[in-house]
Amino acid sequence: MQHRGAESGKDYPIVACVQMEPHVGEKDRNVAESLRCVEEAASHGASLVVLPELANTGYVFESREEALGLAEVLSEGSTVKTWAEAARRLDVHIVAGITERDGDRLYNSAVLVGPSGLIGTYRKLHLWDRENIVFEPGNRGVPVFDLPFGRVSIAICYDGWFPEVYRLASSQGADIVCVPTNWVPMPAQPLDRPAMATTLAMAAAHSNGVMIACADRIGVERGQPFIGQSLIVGGDGWPLAGPAPQDREAILYAPIDVQRIRSARALSAFNHVLRDQRPDVYAPLHVPPQVPPQVPRSASVDAPRDATAYARPGNEAAPRDRD
């Protein structure tokens, strides 16, 4: 299903975002389901398919030891080999979240695979909540990869709360940022407003002139709900597909029109979101921020994890703490 540009009559490559429900610990089942979704997307003409965060293992680990038992060395693991074989067979590129092991270190990572195999890896820079006791922060920056249909970068979930991530991607010439994610309820989110996660994606796309393709998950895992609402945003900041439903699996499709993405960076005859940057006044950003001490919560830090322990920024008000 090639998407046709109404104005130019051209056919464009397609990006597909897969919204699915991984199950923690059921790696074979998760990978098999991801393959089914990739095959469906490819049958509809997708050239680039984005899967959710930690798509092969699920997210809510009981312990670091559980995650360690599920993690894979990327160059040796069965998951990357399976995805790469599918990419070769279907002639597509896949961006997918994976639990990575490197020596005795674990990373919340995403791989980019194509017909030629593993192309690159992104390691999540900003860890959310209890991820900090399972994973190491990413140490490979924000790489940009040249693909046949444009320049692609990657971010993962909570990375989207930091505009510097998208700015690093756009400043290196990225056209599209793929975002495997596991959004969950955001504290104080009004139920009648768009999800904070989707709002941030739209703002980042507009202010950096990049297309952003977010693939979220659904379901409830060990008490933690996820909000779905996968989204594909054009370089002008407006949605091209989605948000998807909160509670159903779905695949979103949108055309990758690189010329339109790049031209959208010019907001007027005098303004361009990349050229108008003022690095001469941004130096204070390189100084560690002065953060006031956090007000202690009434709950003990040793209290058992409840449904909010893995809460991530997203939509809806977070569940109240248990008494």
Side-chain angles (χ1 to χ4, degrees):
M1 187 172 85
Q2 285 277 55
H3 281 237
R4 180 171 295 276
E7 297 177 359
S8 66
K10 294 180 180 178
D11 289 326
Y12 297 103
I14 303 300
V15 59
C17 284
V18 172
Q19 181 166 290
M20 56 179 282
E21 182 179 5
H23 298 269
V24 66
E26 300 184 34
K27 193 159 61 172
D28 290 344
R29 174 184 177 182
N30 295 335
V31 173
E33 178 62 16
S34 74
L35 281 184
R36 184 191 68 78
C37 293
V38 169
E39 289 169 350
E40 179 178 344
S43 73
H44 286 82
S47 301
L48 173 63
V49 183
V50 187
L51 297 172
E53 178 179 6
L54 302 181
N56 71 325
T57 61
Y59 178 75
V60 185
F61 302 115
E62 290 287 359
S63 64
R64 186 178 185 278
E65 288 68 31
E66 181 183 28
L68 193 64
L70 294 166
E72 298 181 18
V73 177
L74 300 186
S75 61
E76 304 171 2
S78 60
T79 299
V80 172
K81 291 179 181 178
T82 300
W83 284 336
E85 194 283 325
R88 181 196 59 75
R89 173 169 52 87
L90 300 169
D91 193 27
V92 298
H93 288 78
I94 302 169
V95 174
I98 188 170
T99 303
E100 178 191 1
R101 179 172 184 168
D102 184 1
D104 61 353
R105 294 171 176 258
L106 296 179
Y107 295 96
N108 183 337
S109 297
V111 293
L112 169 61
V113 299
S116 63
L118 178 62
I119 297 171
T121 307
Y122 173 81
R123 291 172 171 172
K124 188 175 184 178
L125 297 173
H126 303 91
L127 301 179
W128 175 258
D129 200 55
R130 288 171 61 92
E131 288 180 30
N132 285 279
I133 64 175
V134 175
F135 298 109
E136 301 290 332
N139 57 4
R140 293 188 174 179
V142 183
V144 175
F145 306 95
D146 282 302
L147 297 183
F149 41 77
R151 293 174 59 79
V152 173
S153 190
I154 304 171
I156 298 176
C157 200
Y158 187 45
D159 288 330
W161 268 247
F162 298 86
E164 296 84 358
V165 174
Y166 292 112
R167 184 52 50 88
L168 284 167
S170 66
S171 66
Q172 297 176 82
D175 298 305
I176 178 170
V177 180
C178 298
V179 185
T181 189
N182 280 182
W183 293 329
V184 302
M186 178 72 171
Q189 167 76 49
L191 298 179
D192 61 344
R193 300 287 183 86
M196 181 63 72
T198 60
T199 301
L200 288 171
M202 292 171 63
H206 176 76
S207 60
N208 291 283
V210 292
M211 187 178 191
I212 299 179
C214 305
D216 197 13
R217 63 160 293 168
I218 60 168
V220 178
E221 191 172 88
R222 291 177 173 167
Q224 175 60 66
F226 299 90
I227 70 163
Q229 301 182 70
S230 298
L231 180 72
I232 304 175
V233 186
D236 55 7
W238 298 110
L240 297 172
Q246 296 188 35
D247 57 355
R248 298 195 304 276
E249 295 188 336
I251 303 178
L252 304 181
Y253 300 91
I256 303 173
D257 183 346
V258 170
Q259 182 177 354
R260 184 171 182 176
I261 293 169
R262 295 174 182 176
S263 64
R265 296 166 186 165
L267 303 181
S268 76
F270 297 94
N271 296 104
H272 189 285
V273 295
L274 301 185
R275 290 199 297 265
D276 290 347
Q277 295 176 32
R278 290 288 308 279
D280 57 310
V281 298
Y282 300 157
L285 288 175
H286 301 290
V287 178
Q290 300 299 312
V291 181
Q294 184 174 353
V295 177
R297 296 187 57 158
S298 58
S300 166
V301 295
D302 297 323
R305 175 174 58 80
D306 65 8
T308 65
Y310 269 72
R312 290 170 161 277
N315 189 36
E316 307 173 351
R320 295 179 60 186
D321 291 339
R322 293 176 180 169
D323 295 331

